[in-house]
Amino acid sequence: MDETPAGVREDAAARVAGRSEQRRRQIALLAEPGGIVRADEPVRVATRIDRLSHHYRDIHPIDPASLAAADPAAVTAAVAVLERIIQTNDLLPVGYLEGGAAAARAVGRVVVRDAHGRLAGYGTGSLVCPELLLTNHHVLGDAGMAGRSSVEFDYQDGIDGTPLPLRTFFLDPGRFFFADRELDFALVAVKDATGELARFGFNRLVAPEGKAIVGDFVTIIQHPGGEKKQVALRENRIVDILESFLHYQTDTEPGSSGSPVFNDQWEIVALHHAAVPAPEHDALGGVINEGVRISRLLGALRRQSFPPEQRALLDRLFAERTTLLSAVTVPTAVPASTVEPASLGTPASADGLSTWPAEPVAGRWADGQVPLTLTLTAPVTLHLAGPVTAAGPAAAAGPAAAGPAAVVAGPATATAAAAAAPEAIQIDPDYAGRRGYDPDFLPGGHRVALPTLHPDLLPLAALNPHAGDGQAYVLNYHHFSVVMNRQRRLAFFTAVNIDGPTSLRIRRDPDRWIFDPRLPDSQQTGEDVYRDNPLDRGHLVRRLDPAWGASLAVAKSGNDDTFHFTNCTPQHKDFNQNQTTWAGLEDYILDNADTRDLKVTVFTGPVLAADDDPYRGVQLPRQYWKVVVMVKHDDELSATGYLLSQDHLIDGLEAAPAEFSYGAYKTYQVPIRRIEDLTRLSFGTLADADPLARMEVATTAREITHLHQLTL
């Protein structure tokens, strides 16, 4: 509304007054060299650096226990990161402006009307998913008011100074409305009768912590006093962080209520709702602004029960890779042999979500130790069976009922905020945000491009109408890509990057396979093929291969993306029973190969033979291939090929077994050129990096009865 209600202002003023001394100390620290590392809690600083590593490739996480213990190396590294990224007041990359332009499109002026339809005031709101608008509770306090109100986009001047055409959308509280008085936020559906709403995009709400610390600069996009859209650029600084609120300096006016507060990476860190006098801070203009923390806002939403129709709409808000309320990554060096998952216990989930993954952390460092990534729900007690090599013995802080979980490393204690464990499979609806397979993923400058289709196969490739500037037939997912044969309704091939140091074991929840909406269902093999028979829905990209990243939420997005039917092929139920062959192949390579940084690229697919057996409108592949590419410690590229087949099919495809009368599957290591001949794909120069091709005696196929037989 035009003016923040007195009650909201009074509550904010009380919080500001109660933190005066702490805020003064923090502001003084920010003025000192390297003070930005000491102005906030070590865990929050480490988590912020971890979050920044998602945006900047040359940034690496820092152990919060080392920061808490004031380890000189950790402090120096943290100062270098934060002063370079956060305290560069004058110079920013051009991408900052491009990100700001995109973020601003989704911000609109909320026009509030009373029961008589008269103008009651203005606020600011932002689309936070394709159909939901976020603003303050004191802007839209109830569904009735929301139903009379609207949001206007492009209420601003263009580059030439002339007003842009105004776009008005009415709100639809009957479809969705929720408001929380304590956290002062309202979430409401927007009517889109014309289909124009999508052109404004949305500012996704990111749940994990690490988006802001004391000292971060913020930018506010707003309609001050109901006027045209304006921006308070990043010369505004966070000066205090409370449990549910942020305090910051910025230029806002009445009518700015409901404005999104962005960090420099254009992530919304808070929802602005009040400005209160703070005379003791003349340098800040005598005013402290307050915003609601996004992680707390999302947590409140998760704890609510909604009817199925509204829950389905709300799920789109949480469908991004960040499906946790908060996550703290604590890379603590622990010998792999001492990690005992059974001792981790089963933490309770306060919001009814599933809890600790049933499988242990699988990532490991090159020295054989694992980066222990902890996503904590409060309360939880952690026990480690063995010493923490970097910071002394590990212990759990207090009984589980005592409060928020704490990780104790040596003399320092790092307290993590409450976090929810992963939910069941959730598919990110924003397919444009998936980067897919990275050809420059491997270290040492070794570029490994996607396989190319023979010209005769190109007309059979399914086309992605949303490919943009990318290849029209490539479907990108989180950490992997797929190229589909629309005629066979199966993949020509899949391509995945596997990052050993940050890979995680995600518990397998009940499968939920979906069609990829970018392709017609008729070009994908769906559920009908698998019903009432011995066929399994076989992953081509293994479920855990793309499950990596700087947090459990990021890893889970890759895990969940593998449940698209485009990544599925009909496989006999006995396909993966023999752990010494196909199923254990990649695990063995990751565990035993002398690879640099434990980074691996894997291509996989079925051999789509003309005489494959037809079944329910789909020809069932009888052979599968895999090409594994890595960089060894001598910086030499290594590429190895494998074929899964019945023994009487390895030298040709003449035999056609009757329906489901499959013999024993066997795994063979074969030259990559053999796979090229079978699939009519080209792997470029990878055949030159094949150890079988370099052997003096040409090898056409080598049966693998034990994984030690592999030539890597």
Side-chain angles (χ1 to χ4, degrees):
M1 303 288 288
D2 281 344
E3 185 174 342
T4 304
V8 173
R9 260 196 337 273
E10 289 167 2
D11 290 344
R15 287 187 287 267
V16 167
R19 302 274 294 187
S20 293
E21 188 56 38
Q22 180 167 346
R23 186 170 57 250
R24 186 180 291 109
R25 288 197 304 270
Q26 291 168 173
I27 292 172
L29 282 171
L30 291 175
E32 298 178 3
I36 191 169
V37 172
R38 293 176 285 129
D40 211 331
E41 299 172 7
V43 164
R44 189 175 285 138
V45 171
T47 307
R48 179 68 177 128
I49 293 172
D50 178 77
R51 184 77 191 165
L52 287 170
S53 71
H54 301 185
H55 300 274
Y56 305 92
R57 284 191 164 191
D58 60 336
I59 291 178
H60 303 286
I62 294 175
D63 181 7
S66 299
L67 276 183
D71 175 79
V75 172
T76 299
V79 169
V81 169
L82 297 180
E83 289 193 342
R84 175 168 69 90
I85 302 300
I86 292 179
Q87 291 189 319
T88 53
N89 298 352
D90 299 325
L91 294 175
L92 286 168
V94 172
Y96 173 79
L97 298 178
E98 295 173 349
R105 281 196 295 272
V107 177
R109 180 174 74 163
V110 179
V111 181
V112 184
R113 299 193 179 276
D114 63 19
H116 302 286
R118 295 177 299 222
L119 179 65
Y122 298 102
T124 302
S126 173
L127 288 168
V128 292
C129 76
E131 299 159 283
L132 294 178
L133 183 85
L134 178 67
T135 188
N136 288 138
H137 171 277
H138 76 257
V139 173
L140 297 176
D142 57 59
M145 179 175 287
R148 299 185 295 269
S149 302
S150 60
V151 58
E152 298 173 338
F153 293 102
D154 280 349
Y155 183 48
Q156 62 189 78
D157 291 335
I159 296 176
D160 60 358
T162 60
L164 297 180
L166 192 64
R167 298 290 188 271
T168 300
F169 298 85
F170 289 100
L171 304 182
D172 192 3
R175 189 174 181 209
F176 188 95
F177 180 82
F178 179 79
D180 185 299
R181 181 184 298 273
E182 182 179 354
L183 291 178
D184 195 18
F185 76 89
L187 192 66
V188 60
V190 180
K191 291 182 180 179
D192 185 18
T194 63
E196 286 189 283
L197 191 62
R199 69 184 288 263
F200 297 100
F202 58 94
N203 291 309
R204 192 182 298 281
L205 299 183
V206 179
E209 300 204 8
K211 298 182 293 296
I213 58 172
V214 171
D216 255 305
F217 292 92
V218 292
T219 294
I220 322 292
I221 299 176
Q222 58 190 301
H223 283 277
E227 295 299 320
K228 292 177 181 178
K229 190 184 300 178
Q230 298 179 25
V231 57
L233 283 173
R234 68 185 294 271
E235 288 297 325
N236 318 293
R237 202 164 202 185
I238 295 174
V239 293
D240 199 9
I241 298 180
L242 288 69
E243 174 59 29
S244 298
F245 300 93
L246 296 182
H247 289 165
Y248 45 91
Q249 167 203 13
T250 188
D251 296 323
T252 60
E253 298 179 18
S256 299
S257 293
S259 300
V261 181
F262 296 93
N263 63 17
D264 277 358
Q265 292 72 47
W266 294 105
E267 298 170 319
I268 301 181
V269 299
L271 177 69
H272 176 73
H273 82 139
V276 299
E280 71 275 22
H281 295 300
D282 291 337
L284 303 182
V287 172
I288 293 293
N289 290 269
E290 184 177 81
V292 182
R293 293 176 63 182
I294 291 301
S295 59
R296 302 308 184 254
L297 182 156
L298 290 174
L301 280 171
R302 284 190 180 275
R303 290 189 292 271
Q304 299 300 316
S305 296
F306 294 96
E309 299 81 7
Q310 293 189 359
R311 171 55 63 181
L313 185 59
L314 190 63
D315 282 346
R316 303 188 68 178
L317 189 69
F318 294 105
E320 199 245 352
R321 68 202 67 175
T322 53
T323 55
L324 305 181
L325 297 186
S326 58
V328 178
T329 301
V330 188
T332 305
V334 183
S337 61
T338 69
V339 177
E340 295 184 357
S343 69
L344 296 178
T346 305
S349 175
D351 56 7
L353 303 180
S354 55
T355 53
W356 193 278
E359 300 174 271
V361 173
R364 51 185 55 96
W365 288 327
D367 60 1
Q369 296 175 326
V370 297
L372 181 59
T373 301
L374 305 177
T375 301
L376 304 174
T377 53
V380 58
T381 302
L382 174 68
H383 301 281
L384 294 179
V388 177
T389 59
V407 179
V408 182
T413 300
T415 303
E423 292 182 308
I425 294 164
Q426 296 283 336
I427 303 297
D428 180 358
D430 180 16
Y431 286 85
R434 289 164 164 82
R435 297 184 179 180
Y437 170 79
D438 181 1
D440 298 310
F441 176 75
L442 296 180
H446 292 281
R447 181 177 178 83
V448 181
L450 289 173
T452 56
L453 302 176
H454 187 279
D456 293 345
L457 299 179
L458 282 173
L460 302 179
L463 299 181
N464 173 14
H466 307 291
D469 296 332
Q471 291 175 287
Y473 52 79
V474 177
L475 297 167
N476 287 330
Y477 300 93
H478 293 301
H479 301 153
F480 70 98
S481 297
V482 177
V483 173
M484 289 289 291
N485 183 316
R486 59 182 175 82
Q487 187 179 71
R488 292 290 298 265
R489 300 164 58 192
L490 298 171
F492 275 122
F493 67 84
T494 63
V496 62
N497 304 121
I498 306 173
D499 188 49
T502 64
S503 65
L504 298 177
R505 294 283 180 184
I506 307 292
R507 181 184 60 195
R508 184 160 188 163
D509 287 308
D511 290 5
R512 184 171 72 89
W513 291 87
I514 72 163
F515 286 109
D516 188 315
R518 293 171 290 186
L519 298 182
D521 293 357
S522 61
Q523 295 182 11
Q524 307 172 62
T525 297
E527 196 63 40
D528 288 346
V529 178
Y530 303 95
R531 189 173 294 114
D532 302 323
N533 57 39
L535 290 177
D536 284 343
R537 301 156 195 80
H539 281 79
L540 290 173
V541 171
R542 296 192 315 165
R543 182 178 66 86
L544 294 178
D545 281 356
W548 53 267
S551 72
L552 179 57
V554 172
K556 189 175 183 300
S557 67
N559 173 91
D560 292 358
D561 256 5
T562 66
F563 287 92
H564 284 84
F565 278 121
T566 49
N567 185 48
C568 184
T569 186
Q571 295 173 351
H572 193 274
K573 63 182 178 62
D574 296 330
F575 183 90
N576 273 331
Q577 281 194 355
N578 189 345
Q579 289 296 318
T580 64
T581 56
W582 200 249
L585 182 65
E586 287 179 31
D587 285 335
Y588 179 85
I589 292 171
L590 285 169
D591 289 342
N592 294 278
D594 186 28
T595 61
R596 178 178 165 189
D597 296 340
L598 285 172
K599 290 191 172 186
V600 178
T601 283
V602 178
F603 304 109
T604 306
V607 175
L608 301 177
D611 62 347
D612 284 335
D613 298 328
Y615 178 72
R616 297 182 182 177
V618 176
Q619 288 179 271
L620 304 180
R622 296 168 304 186
Q623 298 189 106
Y624 297 88
W625 59 270
K626 188 182 296 286
V627 172
V628 181
V629 190
M630 66 191 80
V631 176
K632 307 186 88 170
H633 271 291
D634 58 3
D635 281 335
E636 181 182 7
L637 192 70
S638 173
T640 50
Y642 308 91
L643 192 67
L644 181 95
S645 175
Q646 292 177 285
D647 56 348
H648 65 281
L649 296 178
I650 188 63
D651 293 322
L653 301 171
E654 313 85 53
E659 185 176 62
F660 302 131
S661 60
Y662 282 63
Y665 284 105
K666 294 184 179 181
T667 299
Y668 299 79
Q669 183 168 0
V670 299
I672 290 174
R673 296 203 187 280
R674 168 67 168 153
I675 296 175
E676 289 181 320
D677 292 340
L678 284 171
T679 62
R680 304 182 78 193
L681 300 173
S682 173
F683 291 91
T685 60
L686 286 187
D688 299 331
D690 185 352
L692 291 190
R694 294 194 293 265
M695 289 184 173
E696 293 184 5
V697 179
T699 303
T700 58
R702 170 188 294 170
E703 183 181 349
I704 304 299
T705 58
H706 195 285
L707 292 172
H708 290 303
Q709 296 172 280
L710 296 179
T711 300
L712 303 176

